């Protein structure tokens, strides 16, 4: 039996159609909600086992295929006009994050009325989650930001493990202004994602994964991560809890950069967890690693919910203008 509901929703004012998964709240009613942001050249159906584990512990997950990826880009019957694979930008992606958090905060997601809201992102999605409370261009509304009870980032893209040369980055940045939607190969080898052969095979055979990126999407993603590490970390709200998790053998995104961000960030409540030998997708690693990762994330959320309850903090779904 499916653990989630699927539907097409009209997203932010740019009228992008997003494809969310809404896990069915198990009894008793959920005590927390999680907005999940997936990574580069992937989609949310790859996280069904993660979402199910959260739902089984009373945490409802709201997730969607980001613009430019998954069914949001490739579903001929549901995608919006003008949508194409990899066609995206950080501005639009961050607007979508605010749209998603706003839906949950306003009680528009079934079962999430009045519960604490958490934000969780992986890889590219992890970078977006870290940028969400710190960006200077169109920052989130105070109501939206104050409604987030904590942020989780696994294997966040701050810098690549093997960065492109400065010359290539400079040329790519200039080209992204002239032809933002032009796509180029983005060879993310499936073999470096997980030690599990089945995960590797499924990734290679997945019809919703295309190994290309747009010039604007790639430029924004790489520049944004570096800016987070260099300066934007200083704007982190001190009262916003943060959980950072990374595998030491990640060949896609840099574990060292995540640890550096952890040391620099100004959060009063922050945790950095390194998984020795772990590859990029810790949630897909074998030999008990994925179970450990999922349990760490769920337990962290549960601890923050209990702390709020002990402090007598109540959360209410407040109406606000739609994003």
């Amino acid at each position: 039996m499916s653990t989630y509901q699927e539907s097409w929703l009209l997203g932010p004012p740019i009228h992008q159609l997003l494809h969310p998964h809404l896990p069915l709240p198990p009894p008793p009613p959920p005590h927390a909600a999680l907005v999940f942001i997936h990574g580069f050249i992937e989609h949310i159906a790859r996280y069904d086992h993660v979402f199910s584990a959260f739902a089984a512990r009373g945490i409802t997950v709201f997730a969607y295929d980001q613009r430019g990826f998954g069914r949001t880009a490739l579903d001929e019957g549901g995608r919006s006009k003008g949508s194409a694979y990899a066609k995206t930008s950080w501005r639009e992606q961050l607007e979508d994050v605010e749209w998603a958090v706003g839906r949950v905060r306003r009680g528009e997601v079934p079962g999430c009325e009045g519960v604490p809201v958490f934000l969780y992102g992986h890889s590219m999605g992890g970078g977006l989650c870290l940028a969400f409370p710190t960006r200077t261009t169109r920052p989130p509304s105070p109501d939206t930001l104050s409604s987030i009870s904590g942020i989780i980032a696994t294997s966040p893209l701050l810098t690549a493990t093997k960065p492109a040369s400065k010359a290539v980055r400079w040329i790519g940045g200039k080209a992204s202004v002239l032809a933002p939607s032009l796509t180029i190969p983005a060879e993310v080898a499936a073999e470096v994602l997980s030690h599990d052969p089945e995960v590797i095979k499924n990734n290679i055979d997945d019809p919703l994964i295309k190994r290309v990126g747009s010039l604007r999407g790639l430029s924004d993603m790489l520049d944004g991560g570096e800016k987070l590490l260099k300066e934007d970390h200083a704007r982190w709200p001190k009262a916003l809890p943060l959980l950072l998790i990374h595998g030491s053998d990640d060949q896609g995104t840099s574990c060292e950069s995540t640890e550096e961000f952890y040391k620099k960030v100004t959060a009063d409540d922050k945790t950095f967890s390194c998984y020795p030998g772990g590859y990029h997708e810790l949630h897909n690693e074998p030999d008990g690693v994925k179970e450990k990762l999922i349990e760490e994330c769920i337990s962290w959320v549960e601890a923050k919910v209990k702390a709020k309850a002990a402090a007598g903090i109540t959360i209410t779904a407040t109406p606000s203008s739609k994003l």
Side-chain angles (χ1 to χ4, degrees):
M1 180 178 177
S2 176
T3 59
Y4 55 81
Q5 299 170 338
E6 295 184 75
S7 63
W8 284 92
L9 299 178
L10 187 64
I14 39 190
H15 304 300
Q16 174 73 29
L17 288 171
L18 303 175
H19 179 70
H21 280 206
L22 306 175
L24 298 173
H31 57 261
L34 188 81
V35 174
F36 181 82
I37 313 298
H38 69 72
F40 181 60
I41 61 170
E42 63 160 352
H43 54 92
I44 53 175
R46 302 186 70 241
Y47 293 85
D48 286 349
H49 62 295
V50 179
F51 300 160
S52 297
F54 274 88
R57 296 274 282 271
I59 303 168
T60 293
V61 180
F62 178 78
Y64 58 93
D65 285 347
Q66 293 201 62
R67 66 182 65 225
F69 301 101
R71 289 182 60 184
T72 294
L74 296 174
D75 191 305
E76 293 291 344
R79 68 181 185 180
S80 60
K81 184 178 180 181
S83 179
Y85 201 86
K87 184 179 179 181
T88 191
S89 71
W90 255 38
R91 178 185 64 78
E92 293 167 322
Q93 288 174 298
L94 287 166
E95 287 176 355
D96 292 346
V97 173
E98 184 160 9
W99 164 82
V101 173
R103 279 185 58 82
V104 177
R105 177 175 63 85
R106 294 188 297 267
E108 296 173 13
V109 175
C112 294
E113 297 82 0
V115 301
V117 180
F118 294 82
L119 187 57
Y120 175 3
H122 173 72
S123 192
M124 174 187 73
L128 288 166
C129 288
L130 297 180
F132 185 70
T134 62
R135 70 193 193 278
T136 54
T137 305
R138 197 186 179 279
S141 70
D143 284 345
T144 299
L145 188 55
S146 65
S147 70
I148 299 175
S149 297
I151 290 180
I152 301 171
T154 56
S155 312
L157 177 52
L158 295 168
T159 65
T161 304
K162 298 176 181 178
S165 69
K166 290 184 178 180
V168 169
R169 289 283 306 281
W170 185 85
I171 293 171
K174 296 297 183 183
S176 71
V177 177
L178 299 174
S181 299
L182 179 66
T183 58
I184 60 174
E187 293 298 334
V188 179
E191 292 76 13
V192 305
L193 299 177
S194 169
H195 286 91
D196 187 335
E198 185 175 356
V199 170
I200 295 171
K201 182 180 185 304
N202 290 342
N203 185 277
I204 293 172
D205 296 340
D206 195 326
L208 293 180
I209 291 178
K210 293 179 176 291
R211 300 181 198 283
V212 298
S214 69
L215 290 178
R216 172 60 56 80
L218 288 167
S219 180
D220 284 1
M221 181 173 66
L222 296 173
D223 290 349
E226 290 183 352
K227 192 167 182 286
L228 271 165
L229 196 59
K230 183 179 180 180
E231 56 189 68
D232 286 356
H233 61 83
R235 285 189 293 275
W236 190 272
K238 295 191 69 176
L240 180 60
L242 172 63
L243 173 61
L244 294 163
I245 305 177
H246 218 123
S248 66
D249 289 2
D250 190 330
Q251 298 177 53
T253 62
S254 170
C255 181
E256 289 77 11
S257 291
T258 298
E259 185 172 11
E260 181 182 348
F261 184 87
Y262 163 75
K263 291 176 179 177
K264 288 181 173 180
V265 75
T266 56
D268 291 331
D269 180 351
K270 60 179 182 178
T271 301
F272 171 64
S273 184
C274 178
Y275 282 55
Y279 274 9
H280 186 62
E281 294 185 348
L282 294 172
H283 56 278
N284 282 327
E285 285 281 63
D287 303 322
V289 174
K290 63 184 175 185
E291 290 83 3
K292 178 183 176 183
L293 178 279
I294 293 170
E295 175 60 33
E296 181 173 7
C297 292
I298 292 175
S299 296
W300 186 83
V301 168
E302 290 176 337
K304 304 310 169 192
V305 173
K306 289 178 181 177
K308 279 184 173 291
I313 299 174
T314 58
I315 309 295
T316 58
T318 56
S320 81
S321 58
K322 293 187 182 292
L323 301 172

